[in-house]
Amino acid sequence: MNNFKYSIPTTIYFGKDQLGHLAELKASGERVLLVYGGGSIKRSGLYDSVMKILAEAGLKVTELSGVEPNPRIESVRRGVDLCRENQIDMVLAVGGGSVIDCAKVVAAGACYDGDAWDLVLDGGKIKAALPVYSVLTLSATGSEMDNFAVISDMSKNEKWGTGSPLLKPVMSVLDPTYTFSVSKKQTAAGTADMMSHTFENYFTNVKGAELQGHLCEAVLKTCIQYGPIAIKEPDNYDARANLMWAGSLAINGLLNGGAEVAWCVHPMEHELSAFYDITHGEGLAILTPVWMSFVLKKDPSKTGQLAAYGRSVWGLSGEDQEVAQAAIDKTAQFFFETMGMPKNLREVGITEKTHFEEMAAKAEAGCHGSFVPLTKEDIVSIYEAAF
Ligand code: NZQ
Ligand code: ZN
């Protein structure tokens, strides 16, 4: 196991009726930038509840609304301007990962003397940020408890993740009932996203990080158990609660501290989103089984680790080679049959291969130091197989 630092300053209020804790925002000042998306929080009534609590706490609210899924740098810039014009003290995101990510970069951009895109390209430039708070409405990205944010500039087909400890939320409210209204499509995509975060951490080359591996297996089993229940019964509290907590733990450092490995399915997916604006979790579900098969073929020394996954998570038994292959099949079956997700790139509207070379060239950098390092040619062939 490697040495590591583990620090999560985010206070989590988990469960029903936790929203009143937003009164604690007063600790950061009195002017709040409220960031939200395309209107789901207005339809659910959450917007009204948040506004009431903030008003009762004597907080002054400025709004940044309309943050897009795959949030755009233009929204971040609007938010930064609002912070400056209104001397904002803190940023409150109410929504899914896109809203929280946008809020994080707004918070950093407000303290930066330049264009916020610089901070997306280089998290090292983030030297200060306004305090970030969140109310999570979609279980997926873990942004409510991590130090990352992913922002797109669609004019350049670029989507990049940035990170800084300064982006970790001060506090996040995790009430599973707020996710009852999440659609089947987004529930499936969110489950695939948290599973992918877990896979990225699980398939590591660090030896001896047994506990982290077993924690990954627990998160995966939880997603496999509760994802389908949440799809069939959207207001099943335990299903939503288990998914919500799994999403946070999958990426808050718990699973990868001491077992570090470069992620490679994510860089490949981010290029799909950057060029075709697809739903992140759907891209991951399509790429994951293809990537696993590629790993098995390119580096047979990894067969044992894929087989261990099959035995622990899927309860399979038999010889390594056979179990590893069956585990990949089970993964594909789970995403495409049980969860009803699109199974290839054509099904998410990517009907031509024009950009595969360019996308692969950009994704390659992210795959250095991954479980099995991938060349540009490898990535093109993964896109081809996913097509
Ligand atoms: O915009 P609104 O109206 O709120 O609707 C959203 C959006 O259309 C809707 N939604 C959210 N909560 C809902 C709801 N609909 C009904 N009821 C609710 N309670 O769902 C749609 C998708 O929302 P979005 O925030 O885009 O989804 P998600 O949470 O999956 O976030 C995806 C973004 O996060 C990035 C992805 O790349 C993508 O840009 N990621 C962020 C990471 C991080 N910060 O650590 C890591 C991830 O790997 C990922 O890359
Ligand atoms: Zn992800």
Side-chain angles (χ1 to χ4, degrees):
M1 195 189 296
N2 294 339
N3 293 354
F4 63 95
K5 176 181 175 184
Y6 184 61
S7 163
I8 304 185
T10 308
T11 299
I12 298 291
Y13 288 109
F14 193 99
K16 295 174 188 167
D17 305 322
Q18 303 293 319
L19 204 61
H21 289 289
L22 289 183
E24 294 171 23
L25 268 67
K26 276 188 293 189
S28 296
E30 62 174 30
R31 288 175 295 267
V32 185
L33 181 73
L34 172 65
V35 183
Y36 57 98
S40 70
I41 67 161
K42 291 208 165 160
R43 289 191 291 281
S44 67
L46 182 56
Y47 171 86
D48 292 336
S49 308
V50 168
M51 291 300 270
K52 185 161 177 279
I53 292 163
L54 297 180
E56 283 168 2
L59 292 157
K60 295 194 183 71
V61 179
T62 300
E63 297 185 26
L64 172 66
S65 63
V67 173
E68 315 80 0
N70 296 328
R72 312 294 202 259
I73 187 62
E74 290 80 3
S75 295
V76 173
R77 290 183 184 127
R78 269 197 297 135
V80 170
D81 290 344
L82 287 171
C83 288
R84 295 203 173 123
E85 287 156 17
N86 298 281
Q87 290 93 48
I88 292 294
D89 298 313
M90 76 209 84
V91 183
L92 169 62
V94 183
S98 294
V99 167
I100 304 175
D101 284 3
C102 178
K104 286 175 170 178
V105 184
V106 167
C111 303
Y112 176 69
D113 208 13
D115 181 25
W117 186 247
D118 301 347
L119 309 179
V120 176
L121 295 180
D122 180 3
K125 289 191 174 155
I126 301 175
K127 302 293 182 204
L130 298 176
V132 177
Y133 294 80
S134 87
V135 177
L136 182 67
T137 66
L138 198 169
S139 307
T141 63
S143 190
E144 66 278 5
M145 210 178 175
D146 76 15
N147 57 347
F148 303 114
V150 186
I151 303 294
S152 298
D153 183 341
M154 297 308 279
S155 71
K156 301 186 194 136
N157 293 122
E158 291 199 359
K159 177 177 185 177
W160 299 111
T162 185
S164 162
L166 294 162
L167 299 184
K168 287 182 189 169
V170 177
M171 178 237 276
S172 290
V173 172
L174 271 58
D175 181 337
T177 66
Y178 298 154
T179 65
F180 285 178
S181 56
V182 174
S183 65
K184 287 189 190 337
K185 172 191 163 90
Q186 292 294 343
T187 300
T191 304
D193 189 21
M194 57 184 96
M195 286 178 72
S196 176
H197 298 159
T198 311
F199 286 134
E200 302 265 29
N201 292 326
Y202 184 56
F203 292 111
T204 176
N205 295 317
V206 176
K207 303 282 178 229
E210 284 294 321
L211 176 62
Q212 291 87 331
H214 293 315
L215 290 169
C216 289
E217 289 158 359
V219 171
L220 291 169
K221 284 192 203 177
T222 302
C223 295
I224 290 164
Q225 179 179 351
Y226 286 109
I229 298 176
I231 300 248
K232 283 197 201 82
E233 303 165 34
D235 54 359
N236 183 309
Y237 183 83
D238 286 331
R240 293 297 193 179
N242 277 280
L243 289 175
M244 192 169 236
W245 196 221
S248 301
L249 298 188
I251 194 174
N252 73 357
L254 183 70
L255 306 185
N256 69 320
E260 294 80 2
V261 59
W263 290 17
C264 66
V265 179
H266 269 68
M268 291 191 278
E269 192 297 310
H270 283 171
E271 294 308 320
L272 297 176
S273 294
F275 279 81
Y276 299 99
D277 200 16
I278 67 167
T279 297
H280 175 62
E282 294 187 337
L284 294 169
I286 293 167
L287 292 173
T288 295
V290 177
W291 168 74
M292 287 177 172
S293 299
F294 190 88
V295 162
L296 196 57
K297 198 173 72 191
K298 179 164 180 183
D299 185 352
S301 76
K302 306 296 191 202
T303 309
Q305 273 168 280
L306 279 155
Y309 157 61
R311 291 189 187 100
S312 301
V313 174
W314 293 105
L316 301 169
S317 57
E319 297 296 318
D320 274 7
Q321 181 66 37
E322 170 198 340
V323 173
Q325 186 53 56
I328 298 172
D329 296 343
K330 284 275 185 194
T331 309
Q333 205 176 35
F334 177 74
F335 288 141
F336 310 135
E337 293 172 28
T338 312
M339 300 297 277
M341 302 188 72
K343 57 183 177 303
N344 57 47
L345 298 182
R346 280 167 291 118
E347 290 187 13
V348 291
I350 302 177
T351 53
E352 70 212 3
K353 303 179 179 180
T354 331
H355 299 295
F356 282 7
E357 295 276 335
E358 193 185 344
M359 285 159 40
K362 286 162 88 176
E364 186 194 359
C367 298
H368 294 163
S370 62
F371 184 49
V372 171
L374 302 176
T375 63
K376 183 187 147 196
E377 291 68 34
D378 293 339
I379 297 172
V380 170
S381 70
I382 289 173
Y383 287 144
E384 294 269 355
F387 187 74

